[in-house]
Each structure stands twice: as C-alpha cells, then as structure tokens.
C-alpha cells in the first residue's frame, strides 16, 4: 500500500535510509529513468558524511511545490518537485560548485529593480539550484523574473503569451546610461513553449553604464522597445515591455549586467549586481519595484 509523504520529509527519509517511501511516491516517468536500486545507491553515497540538510527554498509555482535543501558544508544540495496529488515529479541531487572570488565582488553601478510592482524571482542566486545560469561565466549572475498571482504565472490558456501576468508589463532602466544597442522586431513565441534558439535574446535593450558595465534586458515584447542606440536614459525610464521573444519558454524578463555588450563573445563575464537597498534577488523571493 502506498504511503504518501510530504515534500518536507524527503531529506529526513533519505538520511535514515527510508528510500522505498520516497521511491514509491515518484512519478512513473522518474521511475523509468532510475531503478529503486540505483536510487538507493546514489542516495546512500550522496548523504554519506552529511550531518544535516537545511531548507533553502520552498515555493509554489504553477501547481508544483518546489523545495530545496543544502547540507552543513554548503556543497551538497537536494531539490524536489511535487505536484498537487503528492507525486514527486522531480528529484535532483546537486553538488554545488561555488565561485567565491566573483561572488564577493559587485558592480560599481547601483541598480534598482528593472520593473514596477511585484515580481517573482524564478532564477537567481549564487548556486545552480537557485540559478541555472550560475555555472556559465557569461550569465552567472543573470536573473529571470516573472509575475505570479495565487501561485500561478498565468490565467486562462497557457498556450497564449497574453495569458501570462508578466506579458506587456513595463520594463524600466535599472540605472542611468546610454543605450548601446536594441532590437524590436523579433516575433513573440507562439504557442508558448516554442522557443527561438536562432535569436536567443529576442527583443532586447543593452545600456552602457560606463566602467565596462552593460545591463541587458532580454525577451521583450515585439514592437514595444522605446529606445535606440545612442539614447541617454535615466534610472526608471520606460525602455520596453515584457515579452516572450527569443529563447523563452514563457513571458519573463532576463536581466543581467556584463563586462561586454556581446553576451556570446568569448570571455564575456556576467557581473554580480549591486542592488539598490540590497534587494534579495534570490529564487523564491517576491520583490516590489514600486509604482
């Protein structure tokens, strides 16, 4: 008989060797990827020497509860995803590589949040469980931002970009500077889920703030970009609307600061952002950009 578990119990059960309770609650898809024996062996090896796991994140997103833990060393992470029926639909044992030298540096420019109102940080932070960009030097400190209401990023048909709360919302300059480049003619992806890998940034704005610091705003709505190369902008100026263009699976803003305006040039480095009022732009947090 299946004994249901709560997502909060997963690491505790793993630590005391109750692997069968976890495995029985995994989705058929997960069980088709890993056998019980393989799961038990991996879990035992991964938790060896660990004293405890502490909760790093718990968040609800489009009907899925996501929870992550980090061990006492800070170098081992576990992340689980559970659907509304209590089925484990994702389970990740994730060694956490760190880059302390750049983690401890910050941009000379202070940036405000690049939006108005409340937005949710879907990806952001200083390890790969919180921020999948982190392992890539060129995007290490990038963040992906969405809008949510009652745990969902959309209302209505999820195949239409217009159903997403973030779609069409104002995107503002996070600091003053001169527009280096912009793009305004890339079609928003239809239906949602289709991506444009040939033009991964979609519609975008890149602003030069001096000191080799360039802010990058990607996946903007087609036809919404209000600035062109050479324009001077002030912090808080409207520069475009959130869209779903480029390599984007739903309406969101990709924001980062780099030492090079070309995100894809060899050697381009993402910079750790100095946020106004030390805003905690970390996965799972809801942030208020004001009016």
């Amino acid at each position: 008989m299946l004994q249901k578990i709560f997502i909060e119990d997963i690491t505790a059960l793993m630590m005391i060797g109750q692997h069968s309770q976890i495995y029985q609650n995994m989705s058929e898809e997960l069980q088709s990827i890993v056998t019980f024996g393989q799961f038990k062996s991996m879990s035992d090896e991964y938790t060896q020497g660990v004293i405890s796991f502490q909760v790093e994140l718990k968040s609800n997103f489009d009907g899925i509860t996501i929870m992550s833990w980090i061990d006492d060393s800070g170098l081992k992470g576990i992340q689980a995803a559970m659907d509304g029926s209590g089925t484990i639909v994702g389970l990740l044992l994730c060694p956490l590589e760190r880059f302390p030298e750049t983690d401890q540096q910050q941009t000379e420019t202070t940036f405000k949040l690049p939006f108005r109102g409340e937005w949710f940080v879907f990806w952001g932070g200083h390890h790969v469980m919180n921020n999948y960009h982190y392992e890539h030097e060129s995007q290490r400190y990038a963040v992906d931002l969405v809008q949510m209401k009652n745990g969902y990023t959309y209302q209505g048909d999820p195949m239409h970009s217009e159903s997403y709360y973030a779609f069409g919302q104002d995107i503002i300059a996070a600091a003053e500077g001169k527009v280096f480049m912009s793009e305004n003619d890339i079609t928003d992806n239809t239906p949602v889920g289709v991506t444009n890998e040939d033009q991964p940034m979609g519609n975008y704005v890149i602003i030069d703030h001096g000191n080799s610091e360039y802010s990058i705003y990607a996946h903007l709505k087609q036809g919404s970009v209000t600035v062109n190369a050479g324009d001077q902008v002030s912090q808080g100026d409207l520069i475009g609307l959130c869209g779903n263009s480029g390599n984007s699976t739903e309406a969101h803003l990709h924001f980062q600061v780099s030492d090079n305006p070309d995100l894809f040039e060899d050697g381009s480095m993402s910079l750790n952002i100095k946020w106004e009022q030390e805003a905690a732009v970390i996965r799972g947090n809801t942030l208020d950009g004001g009016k």
Side-chain angles (χ1 to χ4, degrees):
M1 181 178 178
L2 176 63
Q3 183 178 350
K4 284 288 185 179
I5 63 173
F6 296 105
I7 192 170
E8 294 86 351
D9 299 330
I10 288 175
T11 54
L13 291 170
M14 199 175 290
M15 290 288 286
I16 63 174
Q18 295 295 321
H19 304 101
S20 62
Q21 284 187 249
I22 301 171
Y23 191 81
Q24 289 171 11
N25 283 275
M26 288 184 183
S27 67
E28 291 183 2
E29 182 178 0
L30 280 183
Q31 291 180 355
S32 71
I33 296 171
V34 60
T35 67
F36 173 70
Q38 290 170 331
F39 171 64
K40 182 180 184 303
S41 177
M42 287 189 295
S43 298
D44 285 340
E45 181 179 355
Y46 193 71
T47 58
Q48 187 174 5
V50 174
I51 297 171
S52 64
F53 285 97
Q54 302 299 320
V55 175
E56 167 85 349
L57 166 76
K58 183 180 180 183
S59 184
N60 295 308
F61 187 84
D62 290 350
I64 302 294
T65 299
I66 297 171
M67 197 160 181
S68 60
W69 303 259
I70 294 181
D71 81 328
D72 39 286
S73 74
L75 298 177
K76 290 183 178 182
I78 295 176
Q79 188 167 89
M82 183 176 280
D83 67 16
S85 72
T87 300
I88 299 169
V89 294
L91 186 58
L92 177 67
L93 309 182
C94 184
L96 302 178
E97 186 176 13
R98 305 280 187 161
F99 299 92
E101 183 177 346
T102 53
D103 287 353
Q104 293 166 12
Q105 298 173 358
Q106 288 187 317
T107 55
E108 292 188 38
T109 307
T110 299
F111 294 88
K112 72 174 294 179
L113 298 172
F115 50 78
R116 301 186 177 101
E118 289 190 347
W119 288 62
F120 178 84
V121 185
F122 188 75
W123 291 116
H126 290 179
H127 58 70
V128 294
M129 281 201 311
N130 279 352
N131 192 357
Y132 86 96
H133 305 98
Y134 186 76
E135 65 179 316
H136 307 290
E137 188 176 51
S138 65
Q139 299 187 58
R140 181 156 295 149
Y141 303 104
V143 296
D144 285 345
L145 302 146
V146 299
Q147 282 198 314
M148 286 209 305
K149 296 182 181 179
N150 300 317
Y152 282 80
T153 58
Y154 65 91
Q155 183 178 40
D157 188 344
M159 294 293 100
H160 296 157
S161 289
E162 292 79 6
S163 297
Y164 288 77
Y165 298 117
F167 190 76
Q169 296 298 311
D170 289 354
I171 302 302
I172 60 177
E176 68 174 332
K178 181 181 287 188
V179 176
F180 180 85
M181 188 181 300
S182 65
E183 173 62 62
N184 200 26
D185 296 325
I186 308 301
T187 303
D188 288 285
N189 298 323
T190 302
V192 169
V194 172
T195 61
N196 181 352
E197 296 182 9
D198 293 331
Q199 298 162 307
M201 291 174 62
N203 302 300
Y204 61 83
V205 173
I206 301 173
I207 300 175
D208 182 356
H209 304 283
N211 304 310
S212 295
E213 295 179 354
Y214 300 85
S215 59
I216 299 170
Y217 313 72
H219 311 310
L220 302 179
K221 182 180 179 183
Q222 183 182 25
S224 75
V225 174
T226 61
V227 294
N228 297 293
D231 289 350
Q232 191 71 30
V233 295
S234 298
Q235 187 180 62
D237 284 353
L238 178 69
I239 59 172
L241 304 179
C242 182
N244 184 33
S245 59
N247 191 16
S248 170
T249 55
E250 68 172 77
H252 75 285
L253 174 67
H254 173 104
F255 177 81
Q256 70 177 83
V257 179
S258 294
D259 66 355
N260 188 321
D262 186 346
L263 186 63
F264 304 103
E265 183 174 302
D266 288 345
S268 177
M269 290 183 62
S270 174
L271 305 176
N272 188 17
I273 300 166
K274 182 180 180 181
W275 292 104
E276 191 175 87
Q277 299 179 337
E278 298 182 351
V281 188
I282 299 170
R283 188 180 195 198
N285 285 352
T286 298
L287 305 172
D288 191 347
K291 296 181 179 179

